[in-house]
Amino acid sequence: MTDADTTTTTADWQAWQKSWDRQQEWYLPDREERFRIMLDMVEALVGTAPRVLDLACGTGSITTRLLARFPEATSTGVDLDPALLAIAEGTFAGDERVSLVTADLKDPHWPAKLPYDSYDAVLTATALHWLHREPLADLYGQVAGVVCDGGVFMNADHMIDETTPRINAAEQAQRHARMEQAERDGVLDWSQWWQLAAKDPVLAEPTARRYEIYGEHADGDMPSAAWHARVLREKGFAEARPVWCSPSDTLLLALK
């Protein structure tokens, strides 16, 4: 293979990771604070060498931060998106602490694909809002089945309190104004990022497969933190409550 051929079949995975982070931060300016608190609670409850399941892992944003802070941790990333998994695979290639699994979280048998029967912590961020209430409740039951006794589950995502419509509207208006200004300053939004991925010689094919699976991005339900906490307790967790929140998002922790 010539040098010219090599440049068309490899990718700068760190550059794609940074690009993904910038795009996500357009929506979530406090994204790093969420991750910091998430890892604080991992350390507080299960220590500094946990076995972690990075649920709907995407490019591996949580795993990247987990291993930077806790080098003795191990992580299993599970996702269905072939393009984001390609970035994760490129990023963690050769790292024996990381394993990646392709699975559909709407398939009730997805836990059978995992390399371990149980995990100290299951972590997810900005991913499960594409599920509606019934399949999300089912997923929470499956998650409870893979969290070991004394282990934790944390979900950082949009959780909307429908009892505060005026507060919600004001927060949304301010957030969208900030996002529009950032976009005018050149920040890529979700669709623009995917357009860029579709033109990349390495990511074009997995991006095409991604759209065959998902179509255009669509949100499911975004119930309140109280709903999440109640359902998690019903599904087998002993305790559940928010441990951090922003005006638009919540980090909810459930303890087995």
Side-chain angles (χ1 to χ4, degrees):
M1 181 179 288
T2 67
D3 289 343
D5 291 333
T6 302
T7 60
T8 63
T9 56
T10 60
D12 185 340
W13 300 118
Q14 290 303 319
W16 276 110
Q17 287 284 6
K18 290 178 181 177
S19 175
W20 177 258
D21 282 344
R22 299 296 85 75
Q23 179 258 127
Q24 289 288 286
E25 287 163 0
W26 182 65
Y27 297 94
L28 303 161
D30 43 24
R31 185 167 177 257
E32 292 301 327
E33 178 70 4
R34 290 195 313 174
F35 288 142
R36 183 184 70 79
I37 298 299
M38 178 181 281
L39 296 181
D40 281 351
M41 298 311 297
V42 167
E43 181 174 5
L45 290 163
V46 295
T48 60
R51 178 189 294 167
V52 171
L53 177 61
D54 187 348
L55 193 69
C57 66
T59 67
S61 297
I62 290 174
T63 293
T64 296
R65 290 154 180 81
L66 172 78
L67 298 180
R69 179 160 168 179
F70 307 129
E72 295 182 10
T74 58
S75 179
T76 301
V78 59
D79 208 302
L80 185 61
D81 190 311
L84 299 185
L85 279 174
I87 296 173
E89 287 164 358
T91 300
F92 301 110
D95 192 333
E96 296 181 353
R97 298 171 297 176
V98 180
S99 55
L100 296 168
V101 174
T102 300
D104 185 349
L105 296 181
K106 290 184 286 186
D107 176 354
H109 303 295
W110 67 266
K113 294 186 175 184
L114 301 176
Y116 302 104
D117 292 332
S118 65
Y119 289 84
D120 301 307
V122 178
L123 310 177
T124 188
T126 326
L128 302 188
H129 59 264
W130 49 267
L131 288 174
H132 293 282
R133 281 173 170 81
E134 185 173 343
L136 180 56
D138 291 341
L139 178 64
Y140 279 171
Q142 292 151 7
V143 168
V146 299
V147 175
C148 64
D149 288 343
V152 298
F153 167 67
M154 279 183 270
N155 179 15
D157 212 338
H158 311 306
M159 299 182 188
I160 298 174
D161 188 337
E162 295 178 352
T163 68
T164 59
R166 289 186 297 163
I167 295 172
N168 299 348
E171 180 280 324
Q172 185 179 55
Q174 184 183 53
R175 176 162 42 90
H176 284 191
R178 174 189 53 76
M179 291 166 65
E180 289 168 5
Q181 180 58 56
E183 194 168 23
R184 288 192 292 269
D185 292 338
V187 175
L188 296 178
D189 66 15
W190 173 269
S191 62
Q192 290 168 334
W193 190 91
W194 282 108
Q195 289 169 16
L196 197 65
K199 296 175 182 177
D200 183 84
V202 176
L203 291 178
E205 189 274 335
T207 297
R209 285 192 285 120
R210 178 211 185 271
Y211 277 99
E212 291 175 2
I213 295 169
Y214 293 111
E216 293 297 328
H217 181 69
D219 288 324
D221 295 334
M222 299 184 197
S224 68
W227 181 92
H228 288 270
R230 174 178 59 79
V231 172
L232 285 162
R233 288 191 293 268
E234 290 172 354
K235 295 298 182 178
F237 286 91
E239 301 176 14
R241 71 166 177 87
V243 291
W244 174 91
C245 69
S246 73
S248 61
D249 279 30
T250 296
L251 172 58
L252 195 134
L253 184 152
L255 182 65
K256 187 78 177 286

